[in-house]
Amino acid sequence: MAVCRFARDCVQIMQDTTMKLEVSLGPDTSDLYLRVGIHSGQVTAGVLRGERSRFQLFGDTMNTAARMESTSACNRIQVSQVTADLLSSSGLAAWIAPRKNKIFVKGKGEMQTYWLKTKAEAGLETSKLKMGLQSGAETLTDSSMSLSVGEVVDVGGIDAMTKTQRLVEWNVEVLSPLLQQIIASRGGGTVDTDDQSLSRKEATIGTGETVLEEFVPIIPLKRFDAGELSKRQKASSVDIGEEAKSQLRSYITNVASMYQDNPFHNFEHASHVTASVKKLLTRIVNVDDGHGLKMSTDEVNLVDMAGHSYGITSDPLTQFSVVFSAIIHDMDHPGVPNAQLVKEQTRSAQIYKKSVAEQNSVELAWGMLMGEEYKALRACIYQTEDDLRRFRQLV
């Protein structure tokens, strides 16, 4: 009975923990599973001598328990007939349910086994691991992921979030530090200004020509200035503000809602690409004194890094643009090749002629970002016409 309780708690905690970690570690973390098998009987115990002396259990009971585990299922606990009989004789028959099909066990043949029910299935109170998300987090439904800025719903903990919601939170946490770096590079702080010339540029940039017609193959990075970098405010001390953070979350949520549910061009895939880009940037911008690349460390000086990274280190807008592009790169992708879209003469194919899906994604993402509801977010990204133009070219 004690072993069954322990196994059930392990599976529950594993599920809760992986869901929580998906927000900080990224896509697929919640796809880590635990598989458990239990058998009851006599065992031989002892300490094996050797290079690594350790206490071990031996015997047929251990072999059968190992078979129960190897033939179990993700996040399930499989118990043998012997263990099921012991539970039943203890008045705990409600804890188990027979497996529909018998399993083949090497050396024993076919065996009838049982599933140990979860606490919820057994009618017991399920303990839940709660995670405090920042106020302003929004709850979405599977049927409609769209969210308006300022719409606030209590998500009630990580266990109440869908996989897409957890990926949204992870992407927000990836982009937020980059926004901090952009603001720090400007000397800190954002200016809420009604610059009419900037507003006019936002309204007209990209109009009258397609994305490919705008495309610039080589974009010069900002000139490296060691003096400026040495005096730059630490990004970690910059606060992007609750309004901008809320708008960022709303924007990523709406981006997610515009991804279609197809095998290779969905929001989870975009998050995978974002994770790869994040890792690549980490390897580019973290260097040691004489041997090129190394892992991220607080001891590395920003000035020392810039000379080894082709200016990317000293230009956070470039870093943000690369990650931003990864997130939006397959928005509204229909899941078929561009050649097929051109052959079918879809509406987007008639507009863009080639690289149809990619141009459509950029236009949709950009058009949404230029909305009035994302004004505070845009103020974090750029505040001059030159930076707006560079951001557009980079994306």
Side-chain angles (χ1 to χ4, degrees), residues 38-96:
I38 302 175
H39 180 57
S40 304
Q42 295 181 338
V43 296
T44 301
V47 177
L48 284 184
R49 292 190 176 184
E51 291 184 4
R52 286 201 239 163
S53 297
R54 58 193 181 276
F55 181 80
Q56 286 196 343
L57 301 176
F58 305 91
D60 182 68
T61 299
M62 294 303 301
N63 292 336
T64 304
R67 298 289 185 268
M68 292 298 100
E69 179 273 323
S70 63
T71 58
S72 185
C74 296
N75 286 336
R76 298 304 300 267
I77 304 168
Q78 182 174 229
V79 302
S80 65
Q81 181 72 63
V82 175
T83 302
D85 290 341
L86 289 173
L87 289 171
S88 297
S89 64
S90 301
L92 299 175
W95 283 25
I96 56 176

Side-chain angles (χ1 to χ4, degrees), residues 115-267:
W115 296 121
L116 182 65
K117 297 179 182 178
T118 64
K119 291 181 179 181
E121 291 172 333
L124 302 177
E125 181 180 357
T126 303
S127 62
K128 295 180 179 179
L129 181 64
K130 297 296 184 180
M131 173 187 146
L133 296 177
Q134 292 183 350
S135 59
E138 299 85 1
T139 293
L140 318 173
T141 63
D142 291 332
S143 59
S144 176
M145 285 288 300
S146 184
L147 184 74
S148 300
V149 175
E151 182 180 352
V152 178
V153 185
D154 182 11
V155 298
I158 196 68
D159 51 320
M161 299 173 72
T162 65
K163 184 178 183 66
T164 300
Q165 289 171 314
R166 295 194 297 272
L167 291 177
V168 166
E169 280 301 315
W170 177 78
N171 280 286
V172 168
E173 294 307 313
V174 169
L175 286 176
S176 294
L178 296 175
L179 288 176
Q180 290 177 298
Q181 291 182 38
I182 292 174
I183 296 172
S185 70
R186 295 198 297 253
T190 59
V191 180
D192 186 12
T193 176
D194 290 323
D195 188 333
Q196 295 300 317
S197 62
L198 180 60
S199 297
R200 286 193 295 270
K201 187 64 176 178
E202 288 178 333
T204 58
I205 192 168
T207 59
E209 54 186 350
T210 66
V211 173
L212 276 186
E213 288 170 340
E214 285 185 79
F215 178 69
V216 179
I218 300 176
I219 302 174
L221 296 176
K222 282 189 174 181
R223 183 177 295 277
F224 168 62
D225 185 343
E228 186 273 326
L229 283 179
S230 63
K231 298 175 183 178
R232 183 178 295 181
Q233 179 183 0
K234 288 189 66 173
S236 58
S237 65
V238 173
D239 181 14
I240 69 173
E242 285 301 317
E243 184 181 16
K245 187 72 173 283
S246 177
Q247 290 183 12
L248 175 61
R249 183 175 289 107
S250 171
Y251 182 79
I252 299 301
T253 298
N254 286 322
V255 166
S257 73
M258 297 181 71
Y259 270 87
Q260 299 190 31
D261 186 17
N262 52 57
F264 301 108
H265 304 282
N266 50 49
F267 184 62

Side-chain angles (χ1 to χ4, degrees), residues 94-113:
W95 283 25
I96 56 176
R99 189 166 181 170
K100 290 183 179 180
N101 301 316
K102 291 184 178 181
I103 64 168
F104 179 80
V105 177
K106 184 178 179 181
K108 292 185 176 294
E110 288 190 340
M111 292 181 64
Q112 175 63 58
T113 60

Side-chain angles (χ1 to χ4, degrees), residues 256-308:
S257 73
M258 297 181 71
Y259 270 87
Q260 299 190 31
D261 186 17
N262 52 57
F264 301 108
H265 304 282
N266 50 49
F267 184 62
E268 184 175 357
H269 162 72
S271 298
H272 278 288
V273 176
T274 303
S276 298
V277 167
K278 178 172 176 280
K279 184 68 174 178
L280 178 61
L281 284 174
T282 301
R283 291 186 173 276
I284 289 175
V285 302
N286 292 283
V287 302
D288 60 23
D289 291 333
H291 301 93
L293 304 175
K294 75 172 184 179
M295 296 305 293
S296 177
T297 172
D298 292 335
E299 282 72 35
V300 176
N301 191 300
L302 189 61
V303 178
D304 295 333
M305 292 193 293
H308 300 271

